[in-house]
Amino acid sequence: EPEVTQTPSHQVTQMGQEVILRCVPISNHLYFYWYRQILGQKVEFLVSFYNNEISEKSEIFDDQFSVERPDGSNFTLKIRSTKLEDSAMYFCASSEGVRGRSPLHFGNGTRLTVT
Amino acid sequence: GENVEQHPSTLSVQEGDSAVIKCTYSDSASNYFPWYKQELGKRPQLIIDIRSNVGEKKDQRIAVTLNKTAKHFSLHITETQPEDSAVYFCAANPGYSTLTFGKGTMLLVSP
């Protein structure tokens, strides 16, 4: 069964540094997402991406965040100047059909630790 | 936007018992309601979903019911097993936006 893959699995960075989290969505999927989960809390929506542009973003997704699909397969989340509160598990997801009405398939996540 | 409330936050049952997790949503435009299971340190995985044109859906030991009038939906697990222990998240989608998740229920099934 095809899977969403994410790299790296763990990332430790110092406050103020830039990080890039990488994802390869399932190949025939059209919608891509980033969610985050602070330890022990719920899964929170960050951004959705369709047709090479952001289709929706949450309040969390401020100017320090950006997403990109640099080629036909990768989907990246960049955090420009990390803060301690950015420490969380970041999940990439993709879906086949209409935004939000098709099942989301999650990757295994990247655990980001900001020190 | 959509707001999803989930109860209980933790649920302990004995193996073989049934477990019920309930969610309410706020946006009457929501039309898609998935349930995800997340084992410790792993990704959320879809276990069952229901759309607003259906009142109930069943898949072996798992069932979901939806009451659109009351804006609530529930997950029912029968004959629970220790491997059912995990955090379960409900979610709702209003169609014009992406999924909003509940806060999760930690289900503990004791042998």
Side-chain angles (χ1 to χ4, degrees):
Chain A
E1 184 179 333
E3 290 186 346
V4 175
T5 57
Q6 288 185 245
T7 54
S9 55
H10 293 89
Q11 175 87 51
V12 181
T13 189
Q14 288 190 326
M15 194 167 54
Q17 295 296 304
E18 174 183 287
V19 295
I20 298 176
L21 311 183
R22 292 183 167 80
C23 169
V24 179
I26 294 173
S27 61
N28 64 332
H29 285 188
L30 301 176
Y31 292 86
F32 315 124
Y33 311 83
W34 284 99
Y35 281 79
R36 79 173 185 190
Q37 187 178 31
I38 296 170
L39 187 64
Q41 298 188 23
K42 71 173 178 178
V43 179
E44 298 178 292
F45 169 69
L46 294 178
V47 65
S48 61
F49 193 86
Y50 170 72
N51 200 25
N52 286 319
E53 60 183 24
I54 291 174
S55 52
E56 185 184 2
K57 59 183 181 179
S58 71
E59 293 175 350
I60 303 168
F61 194 87
D62 61 23
D63 290 344
Q64 69 164 336
F65 291 93
S66 63
V67 289
E68 192 178 29
R69 188 157 165 82
D71 53 42
S73 59
N74 289 285
F75 178 51
T76 62
L77 174 69
K78 181 192 288 187
I79 309 175
R80 264 181 270 281
S81 178
T82 50
K83 307 183 189 117
L84 295 176
E85 53 265 38
D86 293 329
S87 296
M89 180 73 90
Y90 288 79
F91 290 105
C92 175
S94 66
S95 66
E96 185 176 6
V98 176
R99 183 185 68 193
R101 296 191 65 192
S102 294
L104 294 189
H105 297 260
F106 286 89
N108 281 326
T110 294
R111 181 169 297 285
L112 176 65
T113 302
V114 182
T115 61
Chain B
E2 178 61 278
N3 183 45
V4 177
E5 298 288 337
Q6 183 171 349
H7 300 279
S9 56
T10 59
L11 178 59
S12 294
V13 299
Q14 292 289 318
E15 184 176 1
D17 288 350
S18 294
V20 180
I21 302 170
K22 298 181 179 181
C23 288
T24 60
Y25 61 98
S26 61
D27 194 328
S28 56
S30 285
N31 51 25
Y32 175 62
F33 307 91
W35 286 87
Y36 285 83
K37 175 183 180 182
Q38 187 178 30
E39 296 175 355
L40 189 63
K42 296 192 176 180
R43 73 176 93 183
Q45 290 196 294
L46 179 72
I47 55 171
I48 195 167
D49 57 9
I50 191 168
R51 300 186 188 279
S52 58
N53 58 345
V54 175
E56 183 174 356
K57 184 176 177 181
K58 192 172 181 181
D59 182 3
Q60 299 182 343
R61 296 186 297 108
I62 295 172
V64 57
T65 58
L66 171 65
N67 183 327
K68 285 177 59 180
T69 304
K71 296 206 209 65
H72 68 71
F73 56 113
S74 300
L75 178 72
H76 303 252
I77 306 174
T78 58
E79 300 171 27
T80 53
Q81 301 165 3
E83 51 264 40
D84 294 331
S85 296
V87 178
Y88 291 81
F89 291 97
C90 63
N93 160 252
Y96 57 82
S97 180
T98 193
L99 284 178
T100 298
F101 284 81
K103 290 186 176 181
T105 296
M106 179 175 290
L107 174 64
L108 300 170
V109 182
S110 304

mmCIF file of all heavy atoms in Angstrom, chain B residues 70-108:
data_model
loop_
_atom_site.group_PDB
_atom_site.id
_atom_site.type_symbol
_atom_site.label_atom_id
_atom_site.label_comp_id
_atom_site.label_asym_id
_atom_site.label_seq_id
_atom_site.Cartn_x
_atom_site.Cartn_y
_atom_site.Cartn_z
ATOM 1 N N ALA B 70 -28.598 16.588 15.934
ATOM 2 C CA ALA B 70 -27.957 16.922 17.203
ATOM 3 C C ALA B 70 -26.493 17.299 17.019
ATOM 4 O O ALA B 70 -25.831 17.713 17.977
ATOM 5 C CB ALA B 70 -28.066 15.750 18.168
ATOM 6 N N LYS B 71 -25.974 17.130 15.830
ATOM 7 C CA LYS B 71 -24.567 17.410 15.514
ATOM 8 C C LYS B 71 -23.642 16.606 16.417
ATOM 9 O O LYS B 71 -22.713 17.147 17.038
ATOM 10 C CB LYS B 71 -24.247 18.904 15.625
ATOM 11 C CG LYS B 71 -24.966 19.805 14.644
ATOM 12 C CD LYS B 71 -24.135 21.054 14.420
ATOM 13 C CE LYS B 71 -24.941 22.272 14.066
ATOM 14 N NZ LYS B 71 -25.844 22.813 15.003
ATOM 15 N N HIS B 72 -23.899 15.316 16.493
ATOM 16 C CA HIS B 72 -22.938 14.479 17.186
ATOM 17 C C HIS B 72 -22.764 13.140 16.478
ATOM 18 O O HIS B 72 -23.644 12.679 15.743
ATOM 19 C CB HIS B 72 -23.235 14.334 18.679
ATOM 20 C CG HIS B 72 -24.463 13.573 19.027
ATOM 21 N ND1 HIS B 72 -24.602 12.210 18.874
ATOM 22 C CD2 HIS B 72 -25.619 14.003 19.578
ATOM 23 C CE1 HIS B 72 -25.780 11.834 19.289
ATOM 24 N NE2 HIS B 72 -26.415 12.887 19.724
ATOM 25 N N PHE B 73 -21.600 12.571 16.691
ATOM 26 C CA PHE B 73 -21.282 11.274 16.106
ATOM 27 C C PHE B 73 -20.445 10.483 17.108
ATOM 28 O O PHE B 73 -19.777 11.069 17.967
ATOM 29 C CB PHE B 73 -20.584 11.409 14.746
ATOM 30 C CG PHE B 73 -19.322 12.241 14.724
ATOM 31 C CD1 PHE B 73 -18.100 11.655 14.479
ATOM 32 C CD2 PHE B 73 -19.373 13.618 14.905
ATOM 33 C CE1 PHE B 73 -16.938 12.411 14.419
ATOM 34 C CE2 PHE B 73 -18.217 14.383 14.859
ATOM 35 C CZ PHE B 73 -17.000 13.775 14.619
ATOM 36 N N SER B 74 -20.551 9.191 17.018
ATOM 37 C CA SER B 74 -19.933 8.328 18.028
ATOM 38 C C SER B 74 -19.213 7.160 17.380
ATOM 39 O O SER B 74 -19.624 6.666 16.329
ATOM 40 C CB SER B 74 -21.000 7.782 18.980
ATOM 41 O OG SER B 74 -21.671 8.823 19.645
ATOM 42 N N LEU B 75 -18.178 6.717 18.058
ATOM 43 C CA LEU B 75 -17.428 5.520 17.665
ATOM 44 C C LEU B 75 -17.739 4.418 18.669
ATOM 45 O O LEU B 75 -17.678 4.638 19.878
ATOM 46 C CB LEU B 75 -15.925 5.804 17.656
ATOM 47 C CG LEU B 75 -15.016 4.623 17.313
ATOM 48 C CD1 LEU B 75 -15.133 4.275 15.825
ATOM 49 C CD2 LEU B 75 -13.567 4.926 17.670
ATOM 50 N N HIS B 76 -18.092 3.269 18.144
ATOM 51 C CA HIS B 76 -18.410 2.122 19.001
ATOM 52 C C HIS B 76 -17.438 0.998 18.661
ATOM 53 O O HIS B 76 -17.329 0.609 17.492
ATOM 54 C CB HIS B 76 -19.841 1.633 18.741
ATOM 55 C CG HIS B 76 -20.879 2.693 18.926
ATOM 56 N ND1 HIS B 76 -21.748 2.707 20.000
ATOM 57 C CD2 HIS B 76 -21.189 3.785 18.183
ATOM 58 C CE1 HIS B 76 -22.548 3.766 19.895
ATOM 59 N NE2 HIS B 76 -22.234 4.430 18.807
ATOM 60 N N ILE B 77 -16.759 0.491 19.667
ATOM 61 C CA ILE B 77 -15.889 -0.665 19.487
ATOM 62 C C ILE B 77 -16.426 -1.785 20.360
ATOM 63 O O ILE B 77 -16.550 -1.620 21.580
ATOM 64 C CB ILE B 77 -14.427 -0.355 19.878
ATOM 65 C CG1 ILE B 77 -13.912 0.883 19.129
ATOM 66 C CG2 ILE B 77 -13.534 -1.564 19.572
ATOM 67 C CD1 ILE B 77 -12.529 1.331 19.572
ATOM 68 N N THR B 78 -16.753 -2.901 19.747
ATOM 69 C CA THR B 78 -17.253 -4.049 20.510
ATOM 70 C C THR B 78 -16.134 -5.071 20.700
ATOM 71 O O THR B 78 -15.143 -5.077 19.961
ATOM 72 C CB THR B 78 -18.433 -4.710 19.786
ATOM 73 O OG1 THR B 78 -18.002 -5.118 18.479
ATOM 74 C CG2 THR B 78 -19.600 -3.747 19.644
ATOM 75 N N GLU B 79 -16.326 -5.913 21.699
ATOM 76 C CA GLU B 79 -15.369 -6.992 21.993
ATOM 77 C C GLU B 79 -13.936 -6.467 21.986
ATOM 78 O O GLU B 79 -13.070 -6.965 21.259
ATOM 79 C CB GLU B 79 -15.526 -8.121 20.982
ATOM 80 C CG GLU B 79 -16.929 -8.740 20.983
ATOM 81 C CD GLU B 79 -17.122 -9.714 19.820
ATOM 82 O OE1 GLU B 79 -16.138 -10.298 19.341
ATOM 83 O OE2 GLU B 79 -18.276 -9.848 19.374
ATOM 84 N N THR B 80 -13.693 -5.466 22.786
ATOM 85 C CA THR B 80 -12.383 -4.806 22.773
ATOM 86 C C THR B 80 -11.257 -5.782 23.104
ATOM 87 O O THR B 80 -11.430 -6.747 23.876
ATOM 88 C CB THR B 80 -12.338 -3.644 23.771
ATOM 89 O OG1 THR B 80 -12.749 -4.100 25.064
ATOM 90 C CG2 THR B 80 -13.230 -2.507 23.306
ATOM 91 N N GLN B 81 -10.109 -5.495 22.505
ATOM 92 C CA GLN B 81 -8.917 -6.306 22.698
ATOM 93 C C GLN B 81 -7.777 -5.401 23.136
ATOM 94 O O GLN B 81 -7.807 -4.190 22.855
ATOM 95 C CB GLN B 81 -8.563 -7.016 21.377
ATOM 96 C CG GLN B 81 -9.679 -7.912 20.870
ATOM 97 C CD GLN B 81 -9.502 -8.322 19.418
ATOM 98 O OE1 GLN B 81 -8.509 -7.992 18.774
ATOM 99 N NE2 GLN B 81 -10.473 -9.051 18.895
ATOM 100 N N PRO B 82 -6.758 -5.940 23.804
ATOM 101 C CA PRO B 82 -5.643 -5.080 24.254
ATOM 102 C C PRO B 82 -5.021 -4.267 23.122
ATOM 103 O O PRO B 82 -4.605 -3.130 23.335
ATOM 104 C CB PRO B 82 -4.657 -6.087 24.847
ATOM 105 C CG PRO B 82 -5.520 -7.200 25.338
ATOM 106 C CD PRO B 82 -6.638 -7.307 24.332
ATOM 107 N N GLU B 83 -5.005 -4.817 21.924
ATOM 108 C CA GLU B 83 -4.413 -4.072 20.795
ATOM 109 C C GLU B 83 -5.273 -2.905 20.316
ATOM 110 O O GLU B 83 -4.846 -2.118 19.471
ATOM 111 C CB GLU B 83 -4.105 -5.015 19.623
ATOM 112 C CG GLU B 83 -5.259 -5.888 19.209
ATOM 113 C CD GLU B 83 -5.190 -7.265 19.863
ATOM 114 O OE1 GLU B 83 -4.833 -7.367 21.058
ATOM 115 O OE2 GLU B 83 -5.536 -8.246 19.167
ATOM 116 N N ASP B 84 -6.466 -2.785 20.877
ATOM 117 C CA ASP B 84 -7.282 -1.602 20.596
ATOM 118 C C ASP B 84 -6.807 -0.403 21.413
ATOM 119 O O ASP B 84 -7.235 0.730 21.158
ATOM 120 C CB ASP B 84 -8.759 -1.866 20.921
ATOM 121 C CG ASP B 84 -9.392 -2.909 20.000
ATOM 122 O OD1 ASP B 84 -8.954 -3.022 18.837
ATOM 123 O OD2 ASP B 84 -10.321 -3.613 20.460
ATOM 124 N N SER B 85 -5.958 -0.631 22.391
ATOM 125 C CA SER B 85 -5.445 0.466 23.225
ATOM 126 C C SER B 85 -4.673 1.455 22.355
ATOM 127 O O SER B 85 -3.729 1.080 21.644
ATOM 128 C CB SER B 85 -4.537 -0.083 24.328
ATOM 129 O OG SER B 85 -5.260 -0.899 25.221
ATOM 130 N N ALA B 86 -5.096 2.704 22.407
ATOM 131 C CA ALA B 86 -4.506 3.757 21.578
ATOM 132 C C ALA B 86 -5.249 5.051 21.893
ATOM 133 O O ALA B 86 -6.186 5.072 22.697
ATOM 134 C CB ALA B 86 -4.652 3.422 20.092
ATOM 135 N N VAL B 87 -4.834 6.116 21.223
ATOM 136 C CA VAL B 87 -5.591 7.372 21.278
ATOM 137 C C VAL B 87 -6.450 7.446 20.022
ATOM 138 O O VAL B 87 -5.962 7.203 18.909
ATOM 139 C CB VAL B 87 -4.669 8.600 21.367
ATOM 140 C CG1 VAL B 87 -5.498 9.877 21.379
ATOM 141 C CG2 VAL B 87 -3.804 8.517 22.619
ATOM 142 N N TYR B 88 -7.710 7.737 20.190
ATOM 143 C CA TYR B 88 -8.648 7.834 19.080
ATOM 144 C C TYR B 88 -9.063 9.298 18.909
ATOM 145 O O TYR B 88 -9.421 9.972 19.872
ATOM 146 C CB TYR B 88 -9.882 6.962 19.341
ATOM 147 C CG TYR B 88 -9.563 5.488 19.286
ATOM 148 C CD1 TYR B 88 -8.989 4.848 20.385
ATOM 149 C CD2 TYR B 88 -9.803 4.735 18.142
ATOM 150 C CE1 TYR B 88 -8.662 3.496 20.336
ATOM 151 C CE2 TYR B 88 -9.494 3.386 18.084
ATOM 152 C CZ TYR B 88 -8.915 2.773 19.190
ATOM 153 O OH TYR B 88 -8.589 1.439 19.128
ATOM 154 N N PHE B 89 -8.991 9.759 17.675
ATOM 155 C CA PHE B 89 -9.376 11.132 17.353
ATOM 156 C C PHE B 89 -10.572 11.112 16.408
ATOM 157 O O PHE B 89 -10.558 10.392 15.401
ATOM 158 C CB PHE B 89 -8.237 11.874 16.647
ATOM 159 C CG PHE B 89 -7.048 12.161 17.520
ATOM 160 C CD1 PHE B 89 -5.948 11.321 17.511
ATOM 161 C CD2 PHE B 89 -7.021 13.293 18.322
ATOM 162 C CE1 PHE B 89 -4.831 11.589 18.304
ATOM 163 C CE2 PHE B 89 -5.913 13.569 19.115
ATOM 164 C CZ PHE B 89 -4.824 12.706 19.102
ATOM 165 N N CYS B 90 -11.559 11.927 16.717
ATOM 166 C CA CYS B 90 -12.620 12.172 15.750
ATOM 167 C C CYS B 90 -12.271 13.458 15.001
ATOM 168 O O CYS B 90 -11.433 14.253 15.446
ATOM 169 C CB CYS B 90 -13.973 12.302 16.437
ATOM 170 S SG CYS B 90 -14.112 13.706 17.567
ATOM 171 N N ALA B 91 -12.902 13.651 13.869
ATOM 172 C CA ALA B 91 -12.671 14.856 13.088
ATOM 173 C C ALA B 91 -13.932 15.161 12.292
ATOM 174 O O ALA B 91 -14.752 14.278 12.032
ATOM 175 C CB ALA B 91 -11.463 14.691 12.163
ATOM 176 N N ALA B 92 -14.065 16.423 11.918
ATOM 177 C CA ALA B 92 -15.202 16.849 11.113
ATOM 178 C C ALA B 92 -14.714 17.807 10.043
ATOM 179 O O ALA B 92 -13.731 18.529 10.238
ATOM 180 C CB ALA B 92 -16.255 17.520 11.985
ATOM 181 N N ASN B 93 -15.400 17.790 8.931
ATOM 182 C CA ASN B 93 -15.013 18.642 7.821
ATOM 183 C C ASN B 93 -16.230 19.334 7.237
ATOM 184 O O ASN B 93 -17.178 18.681 6.819
ATOM 185 C CB ASN B 93 -14.344 17.808 6.742
ATOM 186 C CG ASN B 93 -14.376 18.520 5.420
ATOM 187 O OD1 ASN B 93 -15.097 18.150 4.510
ATOM 188 N ND2 ASN B 93 -13.618 19.592 5.332
ATOM 189 N N PRO B 94 -16.204 20.665 7.182
ATOM 190 C CA PRO B 94 -17.358 21.401 6.655
ATOM 191 C C PRO B 94 -17.360 21.569 5.140
ATOM 192 O O PRO B 94 -18.162 22.317 4.611
ATOM 193 C CB PRO B 94 -17.243 22.760 7.349
ATOM 194 C CG PRO B 94 -15.811 22.910 7.675
ATOM 195 C CD PRO B 94 -15.237 21.539 7.838
ATOM 196 N N GLY B 95 -16.469 20.889 4.453
ATOM 197 C CA GLY B 95 -16.493 20.929 2.995
ATOM 198 C C GLY B 95 -15.752 22.099 2.412
ATOM 199 O O GLY B 95 -14.962 21.954 1.493
ATOM 200 N N TYR B 96 -15.952 23.299 3.010
ATOM 201 C CA TYR B 96 -15.247 24.477 2.504
ATOM 202 C C TYR B 96 -13.869 24.583 3.149
ATOM 203 O O TYR B 96 -13.085 25.459 2.835
ATOM 204 C CB TYR B 96 -16.049 25.751 2.793
ATOM 205 C CG TYR B 96 -16.362 25.981 4.258
ATOM 206 C CD1 TYR B 96 -15.424 26.552 5.116
ATOM 207 C CD2 TYR B 96 -17.587 25.622 4.772
ATOM 208 C CE1 TYR B 96 -15.709 26.749 6.457
ATOM 209 C CE2 TYR B 96 -17.882 25.818 6.115
ATOM 210 C CZ TYR B 96 -16.943 26.379 6.954
ATOM 211 O OH TYR B 96 -17.234 26.570 8.274
ATOM 212 N N SER B 97 -13.589 23.672 4.074
ATOM 213 C CA SER B 97 -12.349 23.753 4.841
ATOM 214 C C SER B 97 -11.830 22.355 5.095
ATOM 215 O O SER B 97 -12.480 21.374 4.766
ATOM 216 C CB SER B 97 -12.624 24.479 6.155
ATOM 217 O OG SER B 97 -11.443 24.576 6.932
ATOM 218 N N THR B 98 -10.673 22.265 5.693
ATOM 219 C CA THR B 98 -10.076 20.966 5.933
ATOM 220 C C THR B 98 -10.507 20.423 7.301
ATOM 221 O O THR B 98 -11.256 21.065 8.026
ATOM 222 C CB THR B 98 -8.553 21.042 5.817
ATOM 223 O OG1 THR B 98 -8.025 19.719 5.760
ATOM 224 C CG2 THR B 98 -7.938 21.785 6.979
ATOM 225 N N LEU B 99 -10.025 19.251 7.619
ATOM 226 C CA LEU B 99 -10.458 18.555 8.824
ATOM 227 C C LEU B 99 -10.073 19.297 10.097
ATOM 228 O O LEU B 99 -8.970 19.803 10.226
ATOM 229 C CB LEU B 99 -9.831 17.172 8.881
ATOM 230 C CG LEU B 99 -10.397 16.091 7.970
ATOM 231 C CD1 LEU B 99 -9.598 14.816 8.143
ATOM 232 C CD2 LEU B 99 -11.859 15.855 8.275
ATOM 233 N N THR B 100 -11.022 19.299 11.045
ATOM 234 C CA THR B 100 -10.740 19.760 12.406
ATOM 235 C C THR B 100 -10.853 18.559 13.325
ATOM 236 O O THR B 100 -11.848 17.839 13.274
ATOM 237 C CB THR B 100 -11.745 20.838 12.839
ATOM 238 O OG1 THR B 100 -11.626 21.962 11.973
ATOM 239 C CG2 THR B 100 -11.471 21.280 14.271
ATOM 240 N N PHE B 101 -9.838 18.357 14.150
ATOM 241 C CA PHE B 101 -9.787 17.185 15.011
ATOM 242 C C PHE B 101 -10.288 17.506 16.417
ATOM 243 O O PHE B 101 -10.150 18.635 16.904
ATOM 244 C CB PHE B 101 -8.348 16.671 15.114
ATOM 245 C CG PHE B 101 -7.880 15.930 13.895
ATOM 246 C CD1 PHE B 101 -7.430 16.609 12.775
ATOM 247 C CD2 PHE B 101 -7.902 14.546 13.866
ATOM 248 C CE1 PHE B 101 -7.009 15.923 11.640
ATOM 249 C CE2 PHE B 101 -7.479 13.856 12.742
ATOM 250 C CZ PHE B 101 -7.032 14.542 11.628
ATOM 251 N N GLY B 102 -10.820 16.484 17.061
ATOM 252 C CA GLY B 102 -11.085 16.557 18.488
ATOM 253 C C GLY B 102 -9.800 16.369 19.267
ATOM 254 O O GLY B 102 -8.740 16.108 18.688
ATOM 255 N N LYS B 103 -9.884 16.491 20.592
ATOM 256 C CA LYS B 103 -8.692 16.436 21.428
ATOM 257 C C LYS B 103 -8.208 15.019 21.703
ATOM 258 O O LYS B 103 -7.140 14.839 22.273
ATOM 259 C CB LYS B 103 -8.936 17.165 22.749
ATOM 260 C CG LYS B 103 -9.035 18.663 22.578
ATOM 261 C CD LYS B 103 -9.119 19.379 23.916
ATOM 262 C CE LYS B 103 -9.109 20.889 23.704
ATOM 263 N NZ LYS B 103 -9.175 21.633 24.975
ATOM 264 N N GLY B 104 -8.974 14.042 21.325
ATOM 265 C CA GLY B 104 -8.514 12.673 21.467
ATOM 266 C C GLY B 104 -9.039 11.982 22.709
ATOM 267 O O GLY B 104 -9.333 12.619 23.731
ATOM 268 N N THR B 105 -9.175 10.672 22.614
ATOM 269 C CA THR B 105 -9.559 9.820 23.744
ATOM 270 C C THR B 105 -8.528 8.721 23.867
ATOM 271 O O THR B 105 -8.289 7.986 22.903
ATOM 272 C CB THR B 105 -10.948 9.191 23.520
ATOM 273 O OG1 THR B 105 -11.928 10.217 23.466
ATOM 274 C CG2 THR B 105 -11.275 8.201 24.632
ATOM 275 N N MET B 106 -7.933 8.622 25.041
ATOM 276 C CA MET B 106 -7.003 7.524 25.266
ATOM 277 C C MET B 106 -7.794 6.315 25.757
ATOM 278 O O MET B 106 -8.395 6.344 26.838
ATOM 279 C CB MET B 106 -5.950 7.903 26.297
ATOM 280 C CG MET B 106 -4.969 6.762 26.586
ATOM 281 S SD MET B 106 -3.644 7.223 27.673
ATOM 282 C CE MET B 106 -2.702 8.302 26.629
ATOM 283 N N LEU B 107 -7.817 5.273 24.951
ATOM 284 C CA LEU B 107 -8.530 4.039 25.305
ATOM 285 C C LEU B 107 -7.530 3.025 25.843
ATOM 286 O O LEU B 107 -6.535 2.716 25.180
ATOM 287 C CB LEU B 107 -9.248 3.459 24.077
ATOM 288 C CG LEU B 107 -9.916 2.099 24.264
ATOM 289 C CD1 LEU B 107 -11.050 2.195 25.288
ATOM 290 C CD2 LEU B 107 -10.439 1.569 22.935
ATOM 291 N N LEU B 108 -7.806 2.529 27.032
ATOM 292 C CA LEU B 108 -6.954 1.505 27.642
ATOM 293 C C LEU B 108 -7.797 0.246 27.824
ATOM 294 O O LEU B 108 -8.827 0.280 28.508
ATOM 295 C CB LEU B 108 -6.423 1.983 28.997
ATOM 296 C CG LEU B 108 -5.586 3.260 28.957
ATOM 297 C CD1 LEU B 108 -5.314 3.776 30.362
ATOM 298 C CD2 LEU B 108 -4.279 3.006 28.228
#
